[in-house]
Amino acid sequence: MRSYNEYCAIAQALDVVGERWSLLIVRELLIQGPSRYTDLRQGLPGIATNLLADRLRELEAAGLVKREEAPPPVATTLFDLTERGRQLEPVLQALGRWGGPLVRRPIGDNEFRSHWLAVPLEAHLKDHRPDAPAQTIEVRTGDQPMLVEVKHGSVDVRPGKADHPDLVLTGTASQVLGLLLNELEFNDAKQRGLKVEGDTRVLTRVQP
Amino acid sequence: MRSYNEYCAIAQALDVVGERWSLLIVRELLIQGPSRYTDLRQGLPGIATNLLADRLRELEAAGLVKREEAPPPVATTLFDLTERGRQLEPVLQALGRWGGPLVRRPIGDNEFRSHWLAVPLEAHLKDHRPDAPAQTIEVRTGDQPMLVEVKHGSVDVRPGKADHPDLVLTGTASQVLGLLLNELEFNDAKQRGLKVEGDTRVLTRVQP
DNA sequence: CGGCATCCTCTTTGATACTG
DNA sequence: CAGTATCAAAGAGGATGCCG
């Protein structure tokens, strides 16, 4: 992209990450950690393969991304954020908070990937009972199950299944999000088709 | 811009403000307040006039910008942020903080406008003596003098001149910034050509 | 398969000129 | 002052091919 050529931190930041797809690539790496090229494509529906290759090179040249050759038997290239790249987290959080209201209104045919749930959940959920024992919620929606772990005052969201989750939520992304973010009443959510199994007290522990 | 079409707050935020120039237009309106078309062009060196018109229409349609017809005798159109637009401030602050280190390294022929000083100064300066009487610093660099007002624990930066500033700084943008952000020693700054007149104790009151 | 590179078409941008 | 009109150049998107 053409540089704005301004002596201004905002403009120079945008010179680096203002191009189409760049910040979404950073989002993927922040949520997913070290990722293969193909996994990145999975999380960026619609990206042209040449653009993904271009952007990864640019981000690498800018020092935000590094590529590592995974040792055998995996023997594949892994892309990961550098420390400088990881420092973009506050930018993505601010964007996510600002964009929240846009997502909550009716949605049509948007693409969805389960791991994107980490954005609103880590932004808005809190552990209100940090001294209580750890609890987990399994969320079944989208392309893979997600695990919400509430422990020691922090809320962690990552792909995976729990052995014995305290609560299991099964439904559409907006149902699950509505309930967890306390924007949809419990009974409304169930009426709209959300399946809730387990100990619902963990909900009030994390809801905003 | 083409929508990313993702059920993700970050992607939907970028659908609205991810286009080239959009966030810089928001920056201008945040710093300058209600502005005329021509003033916006002044603060966005290099923007094509058709693009500025396009972006303003898009931002207006998205509900971030409103246009007001100023009453006579001014009788001109003023563009201003809506409340929703003003809520982008944390996004720009995060971008500005991330981009700070990029600006501090040697710079060549970048364009500069004095009012952009508000970005780093309001991000990093603090009033460490909120109970002391108000003080002002006049900064003379770039296209217009800027006023830094320290009062009641807050630091305000805006265009203008003070009647009796406590301190006047005259020099290049990087000299002034280096001194105010405490990244350049006082004596180094003077040796490189920065002119410092007045009561330098206000410096330690605001420096990070 | 994973990780691209090439080719082609379409859209967006930038530069400049012009207008109510 | 606040734009619109025009046109060349750059970038994005989609399909496909290549190579370990």
Side-chain angles (χ1 to χ4, degrees):
Chain A
M1 187 173 51
R2 192 94 176 262
S3 165
Y4 287 114
N5 209 35
E6 294 184 2
Y7 190 80
C8 165
I10 295 172
Q12 296 203 20
L14 290 172
D15 282 345
V16 179
V17 296
E19 248 175 336
R20 189 161 169 78
W21 295 110
S22 295
L23 279 177
L24 292 189
I25 293 173
V26 174
R27 173 198 69 187
E28 286 302 303
L29 293 172
L30 266 176
I31 302 181
Q32 303 269 47
S35 307
R36 293 178 302 177
Y37 189 87
T38 316
D39 297 334
L40 288 174
R41 286 191 65 177
Q42 253 292 107
L44 298 164
I47 195 172
T49 171
N50 54 351
L51 279 193
L52 178 53
D54 285 355
R55 291 294 175 274
L56 284 171
R57 259 192 305 271
E58 292 163 8
L59 292 172
E60 198 184 352
L64 312 199
V65 163
K66 57 176 183 275
R67 74 179 68 203
E68 303 156 354
E69 301 302 323
V74 198
T76 184
T77 314
L78 286 179
F79 297 89
D80 196 10
L81 290 176
T82 62
E83 181 51 31
R84 178 74 179 147
R86 210 164 286 115
Q87 285 168 358
L88 279 168
E89 190 170 353
V91 174
L92 291 180
Q93 272 179 10
L95 268 175
R97 282 175 188 277
W98 188 84
L102 301 173
V103 176
R104 256 77 115 197
R105 66 192 192 197
I107 243 52
D109 56 341
N110 282 306
E111 296 275 353
F112 176 68
R113 298 293 181 273
S114 305
H115 64 271
W116 298 342
L117 285 173
V119 174
L121 294 186
E122 297 199 337
H124 295 289
L125 297 192
K126 274 181 195 162
D127 183 3
H128 298 300
R129 288 190 280 126
D131 299 327
Q135 288 185 289
T136 57
I137 306 174
E138 188 175 311
V139 176
R140 295 183 188 155
T141 185
D143 54 321
Q144 61 179 334
M146 296 294 291
L147 213 56
V148 181
E149 191 169 7
V150 195
K151 187 167 67 177
H152 303 148
S154 78
V155 176
D156 222 60
V157 183
R158 59 176 194 279
K161 307 183 65 168
D163 283 344
H164 300 289
D166 296 277
L167 183 68
V168 177
L169 301 177
T170 311
T172 68
S174 66
Q175 287 161 3
V176 172
L177 259 185
L179 181 66
L180 286 171
L181 299 186
N182 219 352
E183 289 169 354
L184 191 59
E185 289 294 331
F186 186 85
N187 287 327
D188 288 355
K190 288 190 74 164
Q191 251 181 347
R192 295 184 196 190
L194 183 68
K195 225 166 80 187
V196 183
E197 301 162 290
D199 178 4
T200 57
R201 286 170 303 176
V202 64
L203 282 177
T204 56
R205 176 172 177 182
V206 295
Q207 280 168 331
Chain B
M1 187 173 51
R2 197 89 175 260
S3 167
Y4 288 114
N5 209 35
E6 293 184 2
Y7 190 79
C8 164
I10 295 171
Q12 296 203 19
L14 290 173
D15 282 345
V16 178
V17 296
E19 250 175 334
R20 191 161 167 77
W21 294 110
S22 295
L23 280 177
L24 292 188
I25 293 173
V26 175
R27 173 198 69 187
E28 286 302 303
L29 293 171
L30 266 176
I31 302 181
Q32 302 270 47
S35 306
R36 293 179 302 178
Y37 189 87
T38 317
D39 296 334
L40 288 174
R41 288 191 61 177
Q42 254 290 109
L44 299 164
I47 195 172
T49 171
N50 55 349
L51 278 194
L52 178 53
D54 285 356
R55 291 295 175 273
L56 284 171
R57 259 192 303 272
E58 293 163 8
L59 292 173
E60 199 185 352
L64 312 200
V65 163
K66 57 177 183 273
R67 75 179 68 203
E68 303 157 353
E69 301 303 323
V74 196
T76 183
T77 313
L78 287 179
F79 296 89
D80 195 9
L81 290 176
T82 62
E83 180 51 32
R84 177 74 179 148
R86 210 164 284 114
Q87 285 168 358
L88 279 167
E89 189 170 354
V91 174
L92 290 180
Q93 273 178 10
L95 267 175
R97 282 176 188 277
W98 188 84
L102 301 172
V103 176
R104 258 75 115 196
R105 64 188 192 201
I107 243 53
D109 57 341
N110 282 306
E111 296 275 354
F112 176 68
R113 299 292 181 273
S114 305
H115 65 270
W116 298 342
L117 285 174
V119 174
L121 295 186
E122 297 199 335
H124 295 289
L125 297 193
K126 275 181 194 164
D127 182 3
H128 298 300
R129 288 190 279 126
D131 298 327
Q135 288 186 288
T136 57
I137 307 173
E138 188 175 311
V139 176
R140 295 182 188 156
T141 185
D143 55 321
Q144 61 179 332
M146 295 293 292
L147 212 57
V148 181
E149 190 170 8
V150 194
K151 187 166 66 175
H152 304 147
S154 78
V155 176
D156 221 62
V157 183
R158 59 176 195 278
K161 307 184 65 167
D163 283 344
H164 300 289
D166 297 278
L167 183 68
V168 178
L169 301 177
T170 311
T172 69
S174 66
Q175 286 162 3
V176 172
L177 259 186
L179 181 66
L180 285 172
L181 299 186
N182 220 351
E183 289 169 355
L184 192 58
E185 288 293 331
F186 186 84
N187 288 327
D188 288 355
K190 289 189 76 165
Q191 252 181 349
R192 295 184 197 190
L194 182 69
K195 226 166 80 187
V196 182
E197 301 162 290
D199 178 3
T200 57
R201 284 171 304 176
V202 64
L203 281 177
T204 56
R205 175 172 176 182
V206 296
Q207 280 167 332

